[in-house]
Amino acid sequence: MPDLDTREWLLTNGLGSFASGTVSDVRTRTYHGWLFTATNPPSGRTLLFSHLEASLEVLGSVVALGTNFWGNGQIEPTGYQLLRSFDINPVPKWIWGQDNWQLTRQLVMPYGFVGTEDCGEEGISNAPCSIPHAQCPMPNAPIQFCDRILIHYRYEGSHPAILRLRLLIAERDFHHQQTASAKLHFSQLLGKQQVCLQAINSGRFGIPWHLRWTEGNYQPDAVWYWHYGLPEETKRGLSDKEDLYSPGYLIVTLQPGDAVTLEARVGFPDSMLSVLTPKTFAEAVEAEQDRLSQIFGWREGDRNQFKIQNDARGLANAALTKFKIKELLPPTSSLPLPITPYPQRGPHLPHSQLWQQLLKASDQFIVYRASIAGPTVIAGYHWFNDWGRDTLIALPGLALVPQRFDLAKGVLQTFGYYCRQGLIPNAFPDVDGEPIYNSVDAALWWIETLGLYLEATQDWDFLAEQFPVVQQIYKAFVGGTHFNIQVDATDGLVSWDAPGVALTWMDVVIGSHPVTPRYGKPVEINALWYSALCWLSQWAERLSQFEYGSSARLTKQAQRYTQQAEHVKTSLQKFWNPQLGYLYDTIEPDDRRNFQIRPNAVLALSLQHCGFSVQQGCQILDLATTSLLTPYGLRSLDPGDPEYKGKYEGNSEQRDRTYHQGTVWAWLIGPYIRAWQRFYPQQSLPFDWQPLLDHFLSDACLGSISEIFDGDLPHTPRGAIAQAWSVAEVIRHIQ
C-alpha cells in the first residue's frame, strides 16, 4: 500500500448521519460509505449507499477510476494511480486525469435538520431545537429530517467522453458488514431520471431511498460484488470482509465542460421535491457555508473564502488546505502561503482560516437527538454516540468559545432536566426509556460547565432555574446515591465503591473487571467536588442578592458551602505525595494510596477553583511535563510504570487493556494548558502547537483531531478519527 493515501475525510449533517472515505477513494473501514443514515437520530446508523464505481471512456479507451481492496489482498482496479489531486475544503474534491482529459468529483452532505411545523425553531440556518421535549410547548409537532448526499462530476478534455457510474449499495448496521444471502434482496423501481431502492431481508422491508440525476441513462444490471477487503478492520482484529450489491449503472455522455449531478436521498421519491439541476450542487455548498456563517458570525469576506471554486488555481489562491497527489501547482505570486506537495505533511494556513476550519470541525459533533428532542454532542466519529461526560467537557470549546450560548444553555438544560438521584446521565437511550446513569463525575462536570456558562453569559435567570438541580446533586452526594457514591463525613471527600463498574473517565471494563478500577476517592473527582462547592457558595450568595429566594436562607447556605469547601480543601492534602511531588491518583476504600503518575492530577489543577498550593501545582506540572506530555496531548500513564502500554493496537481486548495505560489523549492538552497558565503565568507554555495542528490539517481525518495516539514515538493516531473533546480543547486554547 505504499502509493495509497488512506487518510480520511468526513461529512456530517447534524443528525448523526455521515459520509466518509479516504483520499485515495479506497474503502478501508466498515464505516466508509457515502450515506450512513441515522434512522433514530443520532443513532440507528445504517449504510444504504456505499459509493459509485466510476469508469471513463475517451477515444475508445476505458479507464477505471475506482480503487478497491479485496479479501485476497489484491488492489483492483487502481484508479488511485490516475488521481492528480484532492482537496478537503470547502467539500471533498478529487481530480483524476491523463494528458487529454480530467474528471472532477465533489461530494456534499446538506444539513439534515429541517425543523418542526408550527414550531418557533428556524431549522436549516440555526442549531437544532434546544428545548427539552418535556418542556416544549408543542412536543407533538412533527420534526422533519432529510438525509441526503449530492455528488457532482465535471469533465474537461479535448474529446467527448462516456462516464459510467455503477451503484454499490447495502442495508446494514454501521458496525457490521453486509454478506450476500438468499434471504437478502433489493427492489428497484425505475422512474424518470431516478431509481427507488429498498432492501427486503427475510420478508422484512428495509429503508426506502432513491437516487436521481441530471443527465444520463440508467441500466438495471443486478449483480453482487463479493469479498471487499477492509484492512483497517483487519488491524483491529475485527471482521474485515464485505459484500456489496449493485442494482445497475448510469451512463452519461459528456462533452468537454459538461457536468452531471446526482442526489441520494432517504425516502420514497416525492413529486414536490425541487428539480435537480446543474446548479443544485453549488447551491447546496453555498447554503452550508451560509449556515456556518450565521452560526459563527463570519464576515462576508470570510464567507467568500469558503465559496465553491471549480478550478484548481482558484482553490490554491484561496489558500485552502490542498493535497497535491502527483505534482505541485506552478508557483505564483498570488499564493499567500506555499501549498505543501504530497507526500509531505503539515500545510500552514493564516490564523483566521485555521480558526474557521476548527469551528467547522466543531460543528460536525453537534447533533439532534430525537429521544430528548434537543441538541447533544456526538463524542466521536465513526462509532461513538453521545456521552454525558464527554459532552460537558467539550461544551466550553464547542459552544462557549464560539459564543453558541443558546446551544450551551440547551444542552445544560436537557441534562439538568434528566438529573436523577443527583446523577447526570452519561448516555441517553435510543428508544423510549430512562437514560443511563453510570458516571460519578458527569454531575460534577455539569456544575463546572454550568459555572463557565454563567461566567460567560451572566445569565442569572438560568442559574435560578437550575439551582434546584444543583442542590439535588449536592444533597445526593452528601446523603449518598447509586454505586455507593457518598461524601465521607470524616474528611468531606467523595468516595464510591461498586464492583464490576468503572465510573470515572477511565472507564474500560472487560467482562466484569475494570482495567483501571479507581474505587474509593479519585483525585479529579474530589477536585471537581471542591470546585462545585465553591460554585455553590458563589451562586447562593448571588441569588440572595438578586432576591431569587429567601435571602437569609441562601446566605446561610452560602456560608455552609464555604465551610465545606474549606474542609475539602484541607482534606485534598491527603492526595499529596511529598516523596514524588505529585498527587496520588486514588485513595482506595481501605485507605491505601495509588501512586501511579496519571494525568488526573493535572485535571485536578485545571478547574475553575483549585485547592492546591502554587508550590504543589508547580511540582505536579514539572513531573507531568517530563513524564506525560507529548506533542499530541498527555499520556494516560507514566512510561516508567510497569503497567505502561506504549502502543494501542491488537484485537479489541488488547486495545481495551491499553486504552488508559499509556495511550495519549489529545483532549488532556486543555487541562494541562489551564493548569500551566494558573501556576506558571509568566512562563511560556512548554508545548509546541504545530504537530497537533499539522495533524488537524493533514493527518488521519483531514480537518479533525483523533481521539488518541500511541504513547510511544512516533505517536501514531488511533481510535476514532474525529473526537469532539479533542477539537474542543484546541478551540478553547489556540486563540
Side-chain angles (χ1 to χ4, degrees), residues 320-339:
L320 299 173
T321 307
K322 186 176 183 64
F323 303 94
K324 201 66 180 171
I325 304 295
K326 293 297 184 183
E327 60 186 43
L328 189 63
L329 288 173
T332 170
S333 59
S334 64
L335 286 173
L337 285 173
I339 302 299

mmCIF file of all heavy atoms in Angstrom, residues 320-339:
data_model
loop_
_atom_site.group_PDB
_atom_site.id
_atom_site.type_symbol
_atom_site.label_atom_id
_atom_site.label_comp_id
_atom_site.label_asym_id
_atom_site.label_seq_id
_atom_site.Cartn_x
_atom_site.Cartn_y
_atom_site.Cartn_z
ATOM 1 N N LEU A 320 -6.693 27.352 0.603
ATOM 2 C CA LEU A 320 -7.382 26.274 1.291
ATOM 3 C C LEU A 320 -6.463 25.066 1.366
ATOM 4 O O LEU A 320 -5.552 24.913 0.556
ATOM 5 C CB LEU A 320 -8.668 25.905 0.536
ATOM 6 C CG LEU A 320 -9.680 27.044 0.425
ATOM 7 C CD1 LEU A 320 -10.826 26.621 -0.471
ATOM 8 C CD2 LEU A 320 -10.195 27.433 1.787
ATOM 9 N N THR A 321 -6.708 24.212 2.336
ATOM 10 C CA THR A 321 -5.873 23.032 2.510
ATOM 11 C C THR A 321 -5.964 22.161 1.265
ATOM 12 O O THR A 321 -7.030 21.711 0.890
ATOM 13 C CB THR A 321 -6.354 22.230 3.719
ATOM 14 O OG1 THR A 321 -6.422 23.108 4.833
ATOM 15 C CG2 THR A 321 -5.409 21.082 4.032
ATOM 16 N N LYS A 322 -4.811 21.922 0.622
ATOM 17 C CA LYS A 322 -4.795 21.178 -0.628
ATOM 18 C C LYS A 322 -3.703 20.124 -0.578
ATOM 19 O O LYS A 322 -2.609 20.385 -0.102
ATOM 20 C CB LYS A 322 -4.560 22.118 -1.800
ATOM 21 C CG LYS A 322 -4.679 21.448 -3.166
ATOM 22 C CD LYS A 322 -4.532 22.473 -4.259
ATOM 23 C CE LYS A 322 -4.712 21.845 -5.629
ATOM 24 N NZ LYS A 322 -6.033 21.317 -5.828
ATOM 25 N N PHE A 323 -3.995 18.942 -1.088
ATOM 26 C CA PHE A 323 -3.030 17.874 -1.099
ATOM 27 C C PHE A 323 -2.818 17.461 -2.546
ATOM 28 O O PHE A 323 -3.699 16.888 -3.175
ATOM 29 C CB PHE A 323 -3.519 16.692 -0.263
ATOM 30 C CG PHE A 323 -3.809 17.108 1.146
ATOM 31 C CD1 PHE A 323 -5.089 17.474 1.529
ATOM 32 C CD2 PHE A 323 -2.792 17.196 2.062
ATOM 33 C CE1 PHE A 323 -5.349 17.885 2.801
ATOM 34 C CE2 PHE A 323 -3.045 17.608 3.350
ATOM 35 C CZ PHE A 323 -4.322 17.959 3.719
ATOM 36 N N LYS A 324 -1.646 17.807 -3.071
ATOM 37 C CA LYS A 324 -1.346 17.508 -4.461
ATOM 38 C C LYS A 324 -0.784 16.106 -4.541
ATOM 39 O O LYS A 324 0.231 15.797 -3.911
ATOM 40 C CB LYS A 324 -0.334 18.524 -5.002
ATOM 41 C CG LYS A 324 -0.343 18.613 -6.520
ATOM 42 C CD LYS A 324 -1.648 19.171 -7.038
ATOM 43 C CE LYS A 324 -1.625 19.237 -8.568
ATOM 44 N NZ LYS A 324 -2.935 19.565 -9.105
ATOM 45 N N ILE A 325 -1.412 15.258 -5.317
ATOM 46 C CA ILE A 325 -1.017 13.864 -5.351
ATOM 47 C C ILE A 325 0.167 13.642 -6.293
ATOM 48 O O ILE A 325 1.117 12.968 -5.954
ATOM 49 C CB ILE A 325 -2.197 12.985 -5.795
ATOM 50 C CG1 ILE A 325 -3.403 13.217 -4.871
ATOM 51 C CG2 ILE A 325 -1.813 11.522 -5.824
ATOM 52 C CD1 ILE A 325 -3.169 12.786 -3.454
ATOM 53 N N LYS A 326 0.119 14.218 -7.450
ATOM 54 C CA LYS A 326 1.144 13.938 -8.448
ATOM 55 C C LYS A 326 2.177 15.045 -8.591
ATOM 56 O O LYS A 326 3.347 14.800 -8.766
ATOM 57 C CB LYS A 326 0.479 13.678 -9.814
ATOM 58 C CG LYS A 326 -0.350 12.395 -9.839
ATOM 59 C CD LYS A 326 0.515 11.177 -9.617
ATOM 60 C CE LYS A 326 -0.310 9.901 -9.734
ATOM 61 N NZ LYS A 326 0.485 8.704 -9.449
ATOM 62 N N GLU A 327 1.734 16.283 -8.559
ATOM 63 C CA GLU A 327 2.671 17.366 -8.815
ATOM 64 C C GLU A 327 2.160 18.628 -8.166
ATOM 65 O O GLU A 327 0.980 18.767 -7.875
ATOM 66 C CB GLU A 327 2.830 17.585 -10.321
ATOM 67 C CG GLU A 327 1.510 17.944 -11.006
ATOM 68 C CD GLU A 327 1.649 18.025 -12.515
ATOM 69 O OE1 GLU A 327 2.317 17.143 -13.089
ATOM 70 O OE2 GLU A 327 1.094 18.957 -13.091
ATOM 71 N N LEU A 328 3.066 19.559 -7.933
ATOM 72 C CA LEU A 328 2.718 20.822 -7.313
ATOM 73 C C LEU A 328 2.269 21.798 -8.378
ATOM 74 O O LEU A 328 2.764 21.802 -9.499
ATOM 75 C CB LEU A 328 3.942 21.375 -6.571
ATOM 76 C CG LEU A 328 3.748 22.585 -5.690
ATOM 77 C CD1 LEU A 328 2.785 22.240 -4.557
ATOM 78 C CD2 LEU A 328 5.080 23.019 -5.106
ATOM 79 N N LEU A 329 1.294 22.640 -8.039
ATOM 80 C CA LEU A 329 0.883 23.681 -8.970
ATOM 81 C C LEU A 329 2.061 24.585 -9.296
ATOM 82 O O LEU A 329 2.923 24.824 -8.443
ATOM 83 C CB LEU A 329 -0.236 24.521 -8.362
ATOM 84 C CG LEU A 329 -1.601 23.855 -8.265
ATOM 85 C CD1 LEU A 329 -2.540 24.760 -7.489
ATOM 86 C CD2 LEU A 329 -2.144 23.599 -9.655
ATOM 87 N N PRO A 330 2.138 25.133 -10.496
ATOM 88 C CA PRO A 330 3.214 26.075 -10.812
ATOM 89 C C PRO A 330 3.202 27.228 -9.831
ATOM 90 O O PRO A 330 2.154 27.658 -9.366
ATOM 91 C CB PRO A 330 2.856 26.535 -12.233
ATOM 92 C CG PRO A 330 1.996 25.451 -12.777
ATOM 93 C CD PRO A 330 1.240 24.910 -11.615
ATOM 94 N N PRO A 331 4.373 27.748 -9.454
ATOM 95 C CA PRO A 331 4.425 28.840 -8.484
ATOM 96 C C PRO A 331 3.751 30.088 -9.023
ATOM 97 O O PRO A 331 3.727 30.347 -10.223
ATOM 98 C CB PRO A 331 5.934 29.057 -8.290
ATOM 99 C CG PRO A 331 6.578 28.480 -9.512
ATOM 100 C CD PRO A 331 5.703 27.356 -9.953
ATOM 101 N N THR A 332 3.175 30.847 -8.102
ATOM 102 C CA THR A 332 2.522 32.086 -8.490
ATOM 103 C C THR A 332 2.585 33.056 -7.337
ATOM 104 O O THR A 332 2.496 32.673 -6.177
ATOM 105 C CB THR A 332 1.058 31.849 -8.882
ATOM 106 O OG1 THR A 332 0.409 33.108 -9.030
ATOM 107 C CG2 THR A 332 0.316 31.049 -7.836
ATOM 108 N N SER A 333 2.738 34.324 -7.609
ATOM 109 C CA SER A 333 2.871 35.335 -6.571
ATOM 110 C C SER A 333 1.572 35.535 -5.807
ATOM 111 O O SER A 333 1.566 36.137 -4.748
ATOM 112 C CB SER A 333 3.309 36.664 -7.193
ATOM 113 O OG SER A 333 2.350 37.087 -8.147
ATOM 114 N N SER A 334 0.450 35.068 -6.347
ATOM 115 C CA SER A 334 -0.826 35.279 -5.681
ATOM 116 C C SER A 334 -1.069 34.298 -4.543
ATOM 117 O O SER A 334 -2.028 34.428 -3.813
ATOM 118 C CB SER A 334 -1.981 35.160 -6.692
ATOM 119 O OG SER A 334 -2.036 33.849 -7.213
ATOM 120 N N LEU A 335 -0.192 33.271 -4.399
ATOM 121 C CA LEU A 335 -0.358 32.331 -3.304
ATOM 122 C C LEU A 335 0.141 32.954 -2.008
ATOM 123 O O LEU A 335 1.323 33.276 -1.892
ATOM 124 C CB LEU A 335 0.433 31.046 -3.576
ATOM 125 C CG LEU A 335 -0.139 30.086 -4.630
ATOM 126 C CD1 LEU A 335 0.850 28.965 -4.877
ATOM 127 C CD2 LEU A 335 -1.460 29.528 -4.177
ATOM 128 N N PRO A 336 -0.717 33.138 -0.998
ATOM 129 C CA PRO A 336 -0.263 33.728 0.259
ATOM 130 C C PRO A 336 0.664 32.811 1.030
ATOM 131 O O PRO A 336 1.499 33.267 1.775
ATOM 132 C CB PRO A 336 -1.570 33.958 1.031
ATOM 133 C CG PRO A 336 -2.542 32.997 0.445
ATOM 134 C CD PRO A 336 -2.151 32.863 -0.997
ATOM 135 N N LEU A 337 0.515 31.509 0.875
ATOM 136 C CA LEU A 337 1.396 30.542 1.513
ATOM 137 C C LEU A 337 1.621 29.396 0.535
ATOM 138 O O LEU A 337 0.742 29.071 -0.261
ATOM 139 C CB LEU A 337 0.776 29.995 2.808
ATOM 140 C CG LEU A 337 0.798 30.925 4.022
ATOM 141 C CD1 LEU A 337 -0.003 30.308 5.155
ATOM 142 C CD2 LEU A 337 2.218 31.180 4.486
ATOM 143 N N PRO A 338 2.787 28.761 0.578
ATOM 144 C CA PRO A 338 3.027 27.644 -0.346
ATOM 145 C C PRO A 338 2.136 26.461 -0.024
ATOM 146 O O PRO A 338 1.832 26.196 1.133
ATOM 147 C CB PRO A 338 4.504 27.303 -0.101
ATOM 148 C CG PRO A 338 4.786 27.783 1.286
ATOM 149 C CD PRO A 338 3.929 29.020 1.446
ATOM 150 N N ILE A 339 1.728 25.765 -1.058
ATOM 151 C CA ILE A 339 0.970 24.533 -0.887
ATOM 152 C C ILE A 339 1.966 23.385 -0.730
ATOM 153 O O ILE A 339 2.867 23.221 -1.534
ATOM 154 C CB ILE A 339 0.057 24.283 -2.107
ATOM 155 C CG1 ILE A 339 -0.900 25.452 -2.308
ATOM 156 C CG2 ILE A 339 -0.700 22.984 -1.944
ATOM 157 C CD1 ILE A 339 -1.832 25.685 -1.146
#
